[in-house]
Amino acid sequence: MVTKPNFYSVIIGTELLNGRRKDAHFAFLNEQLIKRGWTHKASFVIEDDTTLMENIYNLVKADENSVMFSYGGIGATPDDYTREVAAKVFRDGKMEYNQQAKELILNQFADEAYPHRIQMANLPINAKLLKNIVNNVAGFYLDDRFFFTPGFPSMSQSMVIEALDKHYNKNEQIKYRKTLTAFCSENDLITLMKNIPNGVELSSLPKIKGDKREVVLSLSSIYKELLDKQFQVFINFCEENSIDYIFKDTNQIIN
């Protein structure tokens, strides 16, 4: 388990990109992460292309703090590549018939498990299973970090909850946020933004209402004193330059 995880989602499905279906995975995972005090590092929606899948998985793997949820491609049809690509990237290509996954498939489908459905039990070596509440064909995960679920939300959502509850239930590190709305151009504040120190995260959202401009600044940090000091820099600038401003949640705890 990763102690300071960076969360990634990889949503595989050409049908999402060509508009035949709409994605429901990102919103659900994002909601579950935020509820637990986590946030997404990145999310990818990609087509069923083995080279692209391999490149994305390798990118995620290169982050030593990565935790990934991958959706789709673990079935038994010819375009279900995820199990093999996952094995190639995370297990040097080594796969095995997971005995528990095999038993679940046989119990569910009996003789109809052969010759195709049984292939869904052929997983990267040393995989652990995620429960499928719909048809008992398990999802799987590797190293308590890389989780692979079906493309169907009815199956994947319970797997996401299972994985998070077991391995990443709550971010115990307290993070503070302060929000400032300044009634000026974003350009007026860029110099200050450039001087924000490491340890403070910034997001800036400019708005235009008719001929009036405003910018919403959100600063967050696990270091409360550093955050307070940096936030005061923006307050002082606004007061010194007669810029109207409002702020709220001066000590909001994010999680």
Side-chain angles (χ1 to χ4, degrees):
M1 188 175 72
V2 181
T3 57
K4 296 181 179 180
N6 293 325
F7 286 94
Y8 296 80
S9 56
V10 180
I11 304 164
I12 303 164
T14 302
E15 67 275 9
L16 298 172
L17 295 166
N18 63 25
R20 289 175 54 220
R21 291 186 179 178
K22 293 187 180 297
D23 171 59
H25 298 302
F26 173 83
F28 182 81
L29 175 59
N30 210 49
E31 178 186 24
Q32 292 298 317
L33 291 176
I34 291 171
K35 185 165 69 174
R36 291 169 166 80
W38 308 112
T39 57
H40 255 102
K41 180 76 170 181
S43 180
F44 304 89
V45 180
I46 64 175
E47 66 180 3
D48 300 88
D49 177 277
T50 55
T51 300
L52 179 59
M53 291 169 62
E54 183 178 345
N55 289 340
I56 294 295
Y57 284 171
N58 274 316
L59 183 151
V60 173
K61 180 184 177 183
D63 180 350
E64 63 181 12
N65 293 313
S66 61
V67 174
M68 179 184 73
F69 285 87
S70 179
Y71 298 88
I74 64 172
T77 59
D79 61 344
D80 285 322
Y81 308 120
T82 298
R83 290 176 288 108
E84 291 183 5
V85 175
K88 183 176 182 180
V89 172
F90 299 104
R91 290 293 188 266
D92 296 324
K94 298 176 182 178
M95 301 182 71
E96 63 184 357
Y97 278 91
N98 183 288
Q99 188 60 36
Q100 184 182 358
K102 186 176 179 180
E103 290 175 0
L104 288 169
I105 293 171
L106 289 172
N107 289 339
Q108 181 73 21
F109 298 105
D111 291 343
E112 293 183 359
Y114 293 96
H116 302 301
R117 289 187 174 100
I118 201 68
Q119 298 303 317
M120 293 185 286
N122 190 22
L123 303 177
I125 60 170
N126 299 321
K128 300 175 184 177
L129 303 186
L130 295 167
K131 184 178 181 179
N132 188 329
I133 63 173
V134 176
N135 66 6
N136 287 322
V137 179
F140 67 95
Y141 63 102
L142 306 171
D143 305 325
D144 298 340
R145 296 173 56 192
F146 308 113
F147 302 90
F148 301 85
T149 75
F152 299 102
S154 59
M155 300 179 184
S156 67
Q157 289 180 356
S158 61
M159 295 184 188
V160 167
I161 292 173
E162 177 188 351
L164 291 174
D165 283 351
K166 185 174 182 179
H167 299 286
Y168 302 97
N169 186 44
K170 184 172 178 60
N171 184 1
E172 299 297 340
Q173 187 174 59
I174 294 176
K175 197 173 189 180
Y176 301 91
R177 183 185 303 281
K178 291 192 173 189
T179 303
L180 169 74
T181 300
F183 296 94
C184 63
S185 169
E186 186 179 44
N187 185 68
D188 296 330
L189 304 177
I190 288 180
T191 299
L192 297 182
M193 295 180 195
K194 288 183 176 180
N195 291 325
I196 288 179
N198 292 334
V200 177
E201 299 174 12
L202 165 75
S203 67
S204 174
L205 179 63
K207 296 181 179 180
I208 300 176
K209 297 181 178 180
D211 59 350
K212 297 182 179 180
R213 296 176 180 271
E214 63 183 68
V215 56
V216 179
L217 296 176
S218 177
L219 277 66
S220 61
S221 178
I222 62 174
Y223 308 107
K224 185 178 181 300
E225 290 184 4
L226 180 63
L227 176 65
D228 290 344
K229 180 180 179 180
Q230 190 59 43
F231 192 73
Q232 190 62 43
V233 170
F234 287 92
I235 296 293
N236 292 343
F237 180 85
C238 289
E239 293 182 347
E240 291 166 3
N241 291 277
S242 300
I243 297 171
D244 292 332
Y245 66 89
I246 56 175
F247 64 90
K248 64 177 182 178
D249 296 330
T250 55
N251 286 306
Q252 177 189 2
I253 299 176
I254 296 176
N255 60 323

